[in-house]
Amino acid sequence: MAGSLCSAKLIAAFLLLSAVPFAYLIALELSPPSTHVFHYHSSGFLRECAKWDAPGRRFLVSFFEGGVGQVPVPDNHSPSSAAVLEETTVIKDADVAGNASLGLAVDTGRGRLLVAVGDVFWNKYSALAAYDMSTWKRTFLTQLSGPSDGKTFADDIALDPEGNAYVTDAKGNKIWKVGPDGELLSIIRSPLFIPKEWYRNWVGLNGIAYHPDGYLIVVHTFSGKLFKIDVTNGGEEVKVIDVVGGPLRMGDGLELLSPTKLVVAGKPSGTLVESLDGWQSASVVGRFKGPSHRVATAATVKDGKVYLNHMFGLGYPKKKHALVEAVFST
């Protein structure tokens, strides 16, 4: 009896302590958004990345539990509509079961989707997979690391015009270069990628974007540093971009809006960075604060507007996720 009473008291205390956060959470969720939001129902709580596929008129979203879904947007969908869209699963690959699907890259010219695959809990496996977007058949699966290679975590992807993919390793602080047919071509390393403080390496190189002038822009999440990596003519020159208004700590996914403007998803929700000297230096020129009870992890552009993917879904049994339009202010 005493044990039952103690358990009941513990449960009551938990409910009492959680009443305030839950009430606050509900209030935030019910408050009207300041910008347009695409809400969609999902089968999972965690969605790491979302990218807009213009030819297919759909968002493609990666599942933290493994797999990829699509969220079609009807032609007559209105920004003022309160309708909740629906996610359907298009990829569930048994060969990488037990791993998370993370960064996505839509290769429109080749009609394929590239997916970064990583072992979330033990960091013993990383891979890059490619799928035909008309059939969802896999065209290649390239293992980037295994149990004997130390801790790694394939996180995000950038594509160059030749179809080469650059995959960030958020645990090992390096970048894998994979050819158009899935061949592992090289690994980009630099001492600049590794902060002196051990705790700043917990989450390292993360979001990555390919600039049309032939270089990569990469953010290091826990240090907030932004890097420029020249990959023309086989070169791999790494420089730190001096960001006025930085550092960009907790920066996650990147999206290049133009040759001079870059969106960084992450704290607070999104940051707009501009460079006028070819990304030798840059300045924070805008910020957007979206829903504070969700976590922005990726950015994509639909019809000229930036949308931020948010990791956590809310609700049960259906989980409601949010793709929030980012409107930046100085």
Side-chain angles (χ1 to χ4, degrees):
M1 180 69 178
S4 299
L5 181 60
C6 182
S7 297
K9 286 182 177 179
L10 287 172
I11 293 171
F14 172 78
L15 291 174
L16 182 62
L17 289 171
S18 61
V20 172
F22 272 118
Y24 182 62
L25 187 70
I26 291 170
L28 288 172
E29 183 66 9
L30 294 178
S31 62
S34 61
T35 62
H36 176 234
V37 181
F38 286 104
H39 283 115
Y40 67 93
H41 282 141
S42 168
S43 59
F45 282 111
L46 303 176
R47 295 294 177 258
E48 166 68 14
C49 183
K51 293 296 180 182
W52 175 246
D53 170 30
R57 287 206 53 81
R58 59 192 172 183
F59 289 102
L60 297 170
V61 296
S62 62
F63 299 174
F64 211 68
E65 68 273 21
V68 174
Q70 65 176 2
V71 182
V73 179
D75 291 339
N76 60 356
H77 183 84
S78 169
S80 61
S81 172
V84 179
L85 304 173
E86 296 293 330
E87 169 199 278
T88 57
T89 300
V90 293
I91 297 172
K92 205 70 176 176
D93 194 336
D95 290 337
V96 291
N99 296 288
S101 297
L102 300 151
L104 302 176
V106 178
D107 189 350
T108 303
R110 296 169 182 82
R112 63 181 185 173
L113 178 72
L114 279 77
V115 184
V117 178
D119 171 13
V120 175
F121 296 105
W122 307 110
N123 306 137
K124 291 184 176 181
Y125 179 82
S126 288
L128 178 69
Y131 301 89
D132 185 304
M133 289 195 295
S134 61
T135 63
W136 296 116
K137 291 182 179 179
R138 194 178 72 212
T139 57
F140 70 74
L141 173 63
T142 301
Q143 182 171 327
L144 303 173
S145 71
S148 63
D149 296 318
K151 290 192 174 184
T152 65
F153 191 57
D155 199 311
D156 204 2
I157 310 165
L159 286 173
D160 69 18
E162 286 73 43
N164 298 305
Y166 301 86
V167 185
T168 53
D169 178 0
K171 204 66 181 176
N173 282 320
K174 60 182 179 290
I175 300 168
W176 294 284
K177 181 179 180 180
V178 179
D181 298 319
E183 64 277 24
L184 180 58
L185 299 177
S186 65
I187 299 176
I188 303 172
R189 292 183 171 92
S190 171
L192 295 175
F193 293 156
I194 305 173
K196 294 179 181 179
E197 305 91 342
W198 65 267
Y199 53 87
R200 295 208 188 280
N201 289 294
W202 189 252
V203 181
L205 298 184
N206 196 334
I208 185 168
Y210 180 83
H211 193 281
D213 288 341
Y215 50 86
L216 304 170
I217 301 175
V218 187
V219 68
H220 187 289
T221 295
F222 270 28
S223 74
K225 288 185 177 180
L226 200 63
F227 298 99
K228 175 182 179 179
I229 306 166
D230 188 344
V231 291
T232 57
N233 302 317
E236 295 173 355
E237 183 184 11
V238 179
K239 294 181 179 179
V240 178
I241 301 170
D242 179 29
V243 181
V244 177
L248 302 168
R249 288 198 179 102
M250 303 313 294
D252 201 327
L254 303 183
E255 185 76 8
L256 200 64
L257 296 187
S258 73
T260 61
K261 290 186 178 178
L262 178 78
V263 174
V264 183
K267 186 181 178 180
S269 286
T271 303
L272 184 63
V273 181
E274 183 178 43
S275 174
L276 301 177
D277 60 4
W279 294 95
Q280 300 298 318
S281 65
S283 300
V284 172
V285 294
R287 297 186 188 275
F288 170 73
K289 185 175 182 181
S292 57
H293 61 300
R294 297 178 183 263
V295 179
T297 55
T300 191
V301 176
K302 177 188 181 297
D303 301 329
K305 297 179 180 179
V306 176
Y307 285 87
L308 299 177
N309 174 77
H310 289 73
M311 170 74 85
F312 299 107
L314 299 172
Y316 187 84
K318 288 186 175 182
K319 295 79 177 173
K320 189 168 75 171
H321 287 264
L323 295 162
V324 181
E325 181 188 355
V327 177
F328 298 98
S329 58
T330 56

